[in-house]
Amino acid sequence: MDLIEKEHLLEISKPKTRANRRLFRGQSEGQYLRDGCTIKGSDGLITAASRFSMANIDSWEAFEDAFCQDLLPALGGKQKTEEFFLRLSHMLVEYMAKQQDRQTKVLDFHHPHHLKEMMSHCLGIPSEGVTLEQVLSDCKETMKYGVRTGHPRFFNQLSSGLDLISVAGEWLTATVNTNMFTYEIAPTFTLMEEIVINHMISKIGWSSGDGVLTPGGTISNLYAVLLARFKFDPKVKSDGVNLHQFIIFTSKQASICDFTTSSLANNKF
């Protein structure tokens, strides 16, 4: 743990009295966290329970006998949940930092049968739940043998690099866990979707329009083909496609998703 090199006025919030305010110099954050206090300084706010310390952030011993039932919404599960996610987030940040090192591999490659054997302890589907310690270990193994798409030497036409704000957004989205059914179930996300769609419409040069956000290129192509087919023959929705044989002209360089889309739309190349 790095030492606090500069003097910071640390406000101990347990208890909050003028007598407990003083200057600390050259002390580690872990030393204060072991006292179960909330420390506030110019570098930010750190809160911790008396049993948790940043000094043991890499230790998973506290989760040897802990299971998902011990996390929220279990009664009194907030502290265990916080400690679990602090360790998980620490692991993720370490991974993001390490993959920026040009001296590391983009992929620690192993042939499928070797990798399956190496990860046999975490690839199976157990009949009973595993401990939280095993969950953390499995997460670490998964990242160890995966492709580091944020590595400076990784290049791909679909995914390359890592935007940390997007990572935070994905974590928020997964935590909120709402679906885009209606405004009632997802008010803020519905407004956000509307703003993004209108922005994209303006980029095209239209004054008005509508649209949807799709999860990938194949479904986007399918939507485009269906819209084009409907524009060419509006009766296709009522009469079906048996009366017509639609044809799509494309080059030999078309991607596989183009052929998949054409097949789904009952078209021929």
Side-chain angles (χ1 to χ4, degrees):
M1 182 61 62
D2 294 334
L3 298 181
I4 302 176
E5 299 294 339
K6 298 181 180 180
E7 292 186 348
H8 301 291
L9 181 61
L10 304 178
E11 180 183 5
I12 306 296
S13 65
K14 181 186 172 184
K16 281 188 176 181
T17 61
R18 183 178 298 273
N20 285 327
R21 297 183 181 180
R22 52 170 298 185
L23 288 175
F24 295 94
R25 182 175 183 178
Q27 303 292 336
S28 67
E29 294 174 351
Q31 178 175 343
Y32 302 113
L33 294 176
R34 282 193 292 271
D35 296 333
C37 301
T38 298
I39 303 177
K40 185 176 182 182
S42 61
D43 290 336
L45 179 66
I46 303 173
T47 60
S50 57
R51 291 189 298 169
F52 179 72
S53 169
M54 289 294 290
N56 62 1
I57 190 70
D58 293 316
S59 174
W60 301 342
E61 294 180 1
F63 304 101
E64 289 181 349
D65 300 317
F67 294 84
C68 64
Q69 295 90 334
D70 299 313
L71 304 178
L72 291 173
L75 185 64
K78 182 179 181 298
Q79 179 176 326
K80 184 67 70 175
T81 301
E82 182 178 7
E83 294 181 3
F84 175 75
F85 276 98
L86 281 172
R87 283 167 172 80
L88 179 61
S89 61
H90 175 72
M91 185 194 310
L92 296 176
V93 172
E94 288 294 311
Y95 173 83
M96 289 186 287
K98 186 176 181 179
Q99 73 175 349
Q100 297 300 319
D101 184 0
R102 295 176 181 270
Q103 303 304 317
T104 60
K105 296 180 179 180
V106 174
L107 171 64
D108 185 4
F109 177 79
H110 298 273
H111 289 284
H113 60 285
H114 287 156
L115 185 60
K116 187 175 182 179
E117 181 179 353
M118 293 166 58
M119 299 188 66
S120 59
H121 60 284
C122 60
L123 286 179
I125 302 178
S127 57
E128 298 181 357
V130 298
T131 64
L132 296 180
E133 180 189 36
Q134 186 63 49
V135 172
L136 291 171
S137 176
D138 292 349
C139 291
K140 189 172 184 178
E141 291 287 294
T142 300
M143 292 187 292
K144 179 179 179 180
Y145 297 111
V147 178
R148 295 180 172 87
T149 58
H151 195 283
R153 292 195 170 95
F154 175 82
F155 301 96
N156 186 270
Q157 76 277 13
L158 296 179
S159 58
S160 183
L162 184 65
D163 186 275
L164 297 186
I165 301 302
S166 296
V167 172
E170 287 207 32
W171 194 352
L172 183 149
T173 303
T175 302
V176 175
N177 193 30
T178 56
N179 292 295
M180 299 293 290
F181 294 150
T182 61
Y183 176 81
E184 286 75 15
I185 193 63
T188 53
F189 289 116
T190 300
L191 295 178
M192 292 166 68
E193 182 182 45
E194 181 183 22
I195 291 173
V196 172
I197 290 175
N198 288 335
H199 178 75
M200 297 303 297
I201 290 173
S202 66
K203 288 295 184 181
I204 297 174
W206 297 342
S207 59
S208 62
D210 202 352
V212 292
L213 301 180
T214 62
T218 299
I219 192 66
S220 298
N221 288 341
L222 176 60
Y223 286 163
V225 169
L226 293 177
L227 288 171
R229 188 182 67 179
F230 180 73
K231 181 177 177 59
F232 179 79
D233 184 7
K235 292 183 178 181
V236 71
K237 294 184 66 175
S238 58
D239 298 342
V241 296
N242 295 328
L243 299 178
H244 304 282
Q245 181 61 65
F246 299 99
I247 299 176
I248 297 177
F249 291 94
T250 185
S251 66
K252 294 181 179 180
Q253 287 73 34
S255 65
I256 186 64
C257 68
D258 294 325
F259 293 99
T260 303
T261 300
S262 178
S263 299
L264 292 174
N266 195 30
N267 297 315
K268 287 187 177 181
F269 282 87

